[in-house]
Amino acid sequence: KQEVTQIPAALSVPEGENLVLNCSFTDSAIYNLQWFRQDPGKGLTSLLLIQSSQREQTSGRLNASLDKSSGRSTLYIAASQPGDSATYLCAVEQGAQKLVFGQGTRLTINP
Amino acid sequence: GAVVSQHPSWVICKSGTSVKIECRSLDFQATTMFWYRQFPKQSLMLMATSNEGSKATYEQGVEKDKFLINHASLTLSTLTVTSAHPEDSSFYICSSGSGGAADTQYFGPGTRLTVL
């Protein structure tokens, strides 16, 4: 059974810092990995999707990497801003579009 | 990107009553819709997958007679929580996909259910 773990569970940093969120998964047989953002009491916003054949994806200040063989992904956020405060979830797809989510990292960017 | 809506955004009901939650894909046809449940400070857990015109497929441990899913059209899926109890209180989120492993899913804003 696929298990997805995110470390740390919570992170608080001052504005302007670069930071890394970690995601690991136990079964490397995945189609893709996605990073989502969830604001309190809200749904999910897709940030980046990395196909299993890709190593990384970039969007603005966000960069996500994928090492499928070791079961790891990182989300790098550059020059963090208070508006980046949210819970970040990673999820892997193992087929039929079924996603297995990690428990998330609650990120707080302090002005 | 595609837009998925949910209605209602929050609902409070008495124990023993049934609650229906709607999930609509507003600007695309969703052949597949997914229903997730999220307890406070926990991650999303897939409850079931519904395909338009066919019966839903439920994940292990999810009672199909309690969580009724209907996907009658390519733009609407409904989740009915029957005989709701306080332990059913949760955040329910739907997502839509057009099919295919490479497609991203579009998530609704969620419905907060509180059962008294």
Side-chain angles (χ1 to χ4, degrees), chain A residues 73-92:
Chain A
S73 175
T74 61
L75 178 66
Y76 176 83
I77 302 177
S80 59
Q81 303 171 358
D84 295 331
S85 297
T87 295
Y88 290 80
L89 297 165
C90 75
V92 297

